[in-house]
Amino acid sequence: MTKQQDLLLISIQTPEDILPKYRNTPIGKLLEYHNLNRQFESYQNAQLLIGMCMDNRKHLHMPDNYAFIIRSGGANLRYSEFKVSYAIAVGGVRHIALIGHNNCGMVNLMARRDQFIKGLAEATGWGEEQAGDHFLHFAPMFEIENEIDFILSETKRLRDRYPKIEIAPMFYLVEDNKLYLIKET
Ligand SMILES: [Zn+2]
């Protein structure tokens, strides 16, 4: 963990490390299953909605049927709102874990513009102009400046949008594959 991460993240190594408001909720149990090897209970229905990045380096340790998962670049749910509403309205969940991670590809997307356009054109047969337009259309929607700040702002946005739903900002460190709570001040 970097010094900055150490300041901003809450490491979960015992059940007492989980913030009291999340203990014994679907959010706290996700932390226990994933980090603390809590014995799996059996579930018939989803308890939780998880929003996380599409990045391939992450795998969550939790029981079958435990959660809906929406994966999107940077754990950005701005363009997945109908699915969030569905998980609440029809799926019955009342808790959301929003999980960012370090070394996210959505940070500084503009720096990978040429690689993106060239790669897309070569792989798909698109012209470079079409690939370039595609990048310029979508990159601003998905680019994030900093993984932790983005998750905190997205948490705030979702809390405003869904006031009665409990939403926890979390972070996945790809080095140790553990989940952390993000400190909120
Ligand atoms: Zn990512």
Side-chain angles (χ1 to χ4, degrees), residues 91-140:
V93 306
R94 298 292 179 263
H95 297 79
I96 300 175
L98 197 61
I99 307 175
H101 70 102
N102 59 325
N103 304 127
C104 184
M106 294 298 117
V107 173
N108 202 10
L109 206 44
M110 282 298 166
R112 280 186 290 281
R113 173 187 162 154
D114 292 346
Q115 184 192 358
F116 183 102
I117 294 170
K118 194 162 173 285
L120 189 61
E122 276 176 16
T124 62
W126 292 14
E128 295 226 347
E129 194 183 328
Q130 188 184 4
D133 289 347
H134 185 70
F135 181 84
L136 286 176
H137 180 75
F138 286 103

Side-chain angles (χ1 to χ4, degrees), residues 53-55 57-58 72-75 101-106 144 147:
C53 185
M54 63 190 273
D55 191 286
R57 288 169 290 183
K58 306 187 310 311
S72 165
H101 70 102
N102 59 325
N103 304 127
C104 184
M106 294 298 117
I144 62 181
E147 297 97 335

Side-chain angles (χ1 to χ4, degrees), residues 35-154:
N35 279 27
L36 307 177
N37 274 316
R38 179 190 172 108
Q39 193 174 359
F40 283 2
E41 288 134 293
S42 76
Y43 294 97
Q44 304 303 317
N45 302 106
Q47 308 296 303
L48 177 69
L49 168 63
I50 294 170
M52 64 192 287
C53 185
M54 63 190 273
D55 191 286
N56 63 307
R57 288 169 290 183
K58 306 187 310 311
H59 173 79
L60 295 176
H61 184 69
M62 62 183 179
D64 288 346
N65 300 330
Y66 190 64
F68 289 104
I69 305 182
I70 299 173
R71 299 193 71 150
S72 165
N76 183 342
L77 296 184
R78 282 182 294 202
Y79 311 104
S80 305
E81 199 157 83
F82 188 74
K83 289 174 270 188
V84 174
S85 298
Y86 184 94
I88 295 167
V90 180
V93 306
R94 298 292 179 263
H95 297 79
I96 300 175
L98 197 61
I99 307 175
H101 70 102
N102 59 325
N103 304 127
C104 184
M106 294 298 117
V107 173
N108 202 10
L109 206 44
M110 282 298 166
R112 280 186 290 281
R113 173 187 162 154
D114 292 346
Q115 184 192 358
F116 183 102
I117 294 170
K118 194 162 173 285
L120 189 61
E122 276 176 16
T124 62
W126 292 14
E128 295 226 347
E129 194 183 328
Q130 188 184 4
D133 289 347
H134 185 70
F135 181 84
L136 286 176
H137 180 75
F138 286 103
M141 295 163 66
F142 286 100
E143 169 145 56
I144 62 181
E145 207 165 291
N146 167 286
E147 297 97 335
I148 291 176
D149 290 345
F150 179 76
I151 292 297
L152 287 174
S153 70
E154 187 65 348

